Amino acid sequence: MITEKALKPIGGFMMMLVQLIAFGLIGAGLLWSLVHPSGWSLIIVLLGIGNGVSLGGYSVVAPKQAIVRTLFGTYIGTLHEGGCWWINPC
């Protein structure tokens, strides 16, 4: 039997700010790597892909409702608090 686990998410608006700053820095890094090609270009591209994947972690929970999070069919936890939240998608 599976017991319910409460999730401890991060505020969604805080993560939006963090991701916007990260996308800006990644964009600046890509422009810099076009002018000065080096091994950092691959790292910058991988960071951009990772930041893009993390966009899938946003969840909006309506008041008096809940969201169940699973990872490849395995129960991770339940989110009961209403609002915009970010939960690590991996």
Side-chain angles (χ1 to χ4, degrees):
M1 184 172 155
I2 298 175
T3 59
E4 184 173 331
K5 292 185 251 179
L7 288 176
K8 296 179 180 79
I10 298 172
F13 296 112
M14 176 61 113
M15 279 305 294
M16 282 183 199
L17 177 65
V18 169
Q19 285 188 319
L20 283 174
I21 291 170
F23 273 127
L25 291 174
I26 290 167
L30 283 175
L31 290 175
W32 179 80
S33 68
L34 289 174
V35 176
H36 307 288
S38 67
W40 287 102
S41 302
L42 177 64
I43 294 172
I44 293 170
V45 168
L46 291 175
L47 286 172
I49 291 170
N51 200 15
V53 167
S54 69
L55 290 173
Y58 290 101
S59 297
V60 177
V61 182
K64 297 187 180 184
Q65 292 193 2
I67 289 180
V68 173
R69 297 295 292 207
T70 60
L71 179 63
F72 302 116
T74 305
Y75 174 73
I76 301 297
T78 305
L79 179 59
H80 291 283
E81 298 176 50
C84 179
W85 301 101
W86 185 83
I87 302 167
N88 188 357
C90 297

